[in-house]
Amino acid sequence: MKRQSGMTLIEVLVAMAIFAIMGAVASLLLRQTLDNSELLGERMNRLQSIQRTMTALSSEVLQAAPRPVRAELGNDEPALQSSFSAEFALQLTHNGWPNSSGVPRSTQRRTAYRIEDDELIRYHWNVLDRTVNNVPVTTVLLEQVDSLTFRFLLANNEWTDQWPPVAAAAAANSSALPRAVEITLVLPDEGELTRVVEVAQ
């Protein structure tokens, strides 16, 4: 009589164990791939947010306009203002506000920046000379921000940490603009990012 061939119980168990190990390894590799993809996506989103923020800051500084404004309660503010004791890290009037609908309004806008709860907030007003009824529009530009500072290049090629400068003659001119602005953004994950923008005059 012919002897029938087949798999023994031990062989079946060994095969099942091998398949189980292979499945576990494949699942682990898939999980790692998905995790890496998620981390890469978060990293790309972060870098894009940083790039958008620096581009927005640079664009508005580049288009700074020598236009002082009247703030709430009739207080006058210079065209560009920045100091450690000020309400905002930077406040400026700039050109480049698109008016595609042809509404009778200025193409200049007043914008300000400051950090609140580790978020970089951008403020803008729809009028230059505002009253207490003109509420600013706020936008969160970037999260996880340690600091935002500026330096300003004077006509004599020296840098100052505040604008208008301390010098009485320069401070008296509320329309004065620096030759260039150095923007320094400090982030916990990226360190210190610096960009120098020449002011179009």
Side-chain angles (χ1 to χ4, degrees):
M1 294 179 63
K2 290 185 176 180
R3 185 178 180 184
Q4 293 184 349
S5 61
M7 295 182 65
T8 65
L9 179 59
I10 294 177
E11 291 172 333
V12 171
L13 293 175
V14 170
M16 290 178 63
I18 292 173
F19 280 121
I21 294 172
M22 292 177 61
V25 171
S27 176
L28 180 61
L29 291 175
L30 178 61
R31 181 70 261 172
Q32 289 179 341
T33 301
L34 293 175
D35 289 344
N36 290 338
S37 177
E38 184 177 349
L39 289 173
L40 182 60
E42 292 176 355
R43 172 72 173 158
M44 290 300 298
N45 290 337
R46 175 67 169 169
L47 291 177
Q48 289 174 356
S49 296
I50 295 170
Q51 182 62 38
R52 283 194 300 267
T53 298
M54 292 299 279
T55 299
L57 278 163
S58 300
S59 176
E60 293 183 357
V61 167
L62 175 67
Q63 300 180 78
R67 167 59 158 89
V69 300
R70 187 186 66 246
E72 297 86 349
L73 305 177
N75 297 323
D76 292 329
E77 293 179 347
L80 190 150
Q81 185 176 29
S82 177
S83 69
F84 294 111
S85 60
E87 181 181 4
F88 298 100
L90 177 72
Q91 189 173 176
L92 76 160
T93 306
H94 64 88
N95 298 310
W97 185 15
N99 191 9
S100 56
S101 59
V103 177
R105 63 162 174 79
S106 172
T107 56
Q108 295 180 338
R109 173 178 275 181
R110 189 68 172 181
T111 304
Y113 295 87
R114 73 178 173 199
I115 296 174
E116 299 176 16
D117 298 326
D118 298 329
E119 294 179 336
L120 177 56
I121 311 293
R122 177 183 183 270
Y123 294 75
H124 76 262
W125 291 265
N126 291 325
V127 295
L128 293 176
D129 299 316
R130 58 188 187 268
T131 66
V132 292
N133 295 322
N134 298 125
V135 179
V137 178
T138 61
T139 305
V140 177
L141 288 184
L142 190 62
E143 299 176 344
Q144 301 178 43
V145 179
D146 286 339
S147 68
L148 174 66
T149 55
F150 300 90
R151 289 201 310 157
F152 307 93
L153 185 63
L154 299 169
N156 60 3
N157 290 329
E158 293 184 359
W159 290 92
T160 177
D161 292 330
Q162 70 176 49
W163 196 271
V166 178
N173 186 359
S174 60
S175 299
L177 294 175
R179 292 180 56 197
V181 178
E182 181 187 78
I183 305 167
T184 301
L185 191 62
V186 180
L187 309 174
D189 52 346
E190 298 294 332
E192 184 176 296
L193 306 175
T194 300
R195 181 176 294 181
V196 177
V197 181
E198 184 176 1
V199 178
Q201 308 225 7

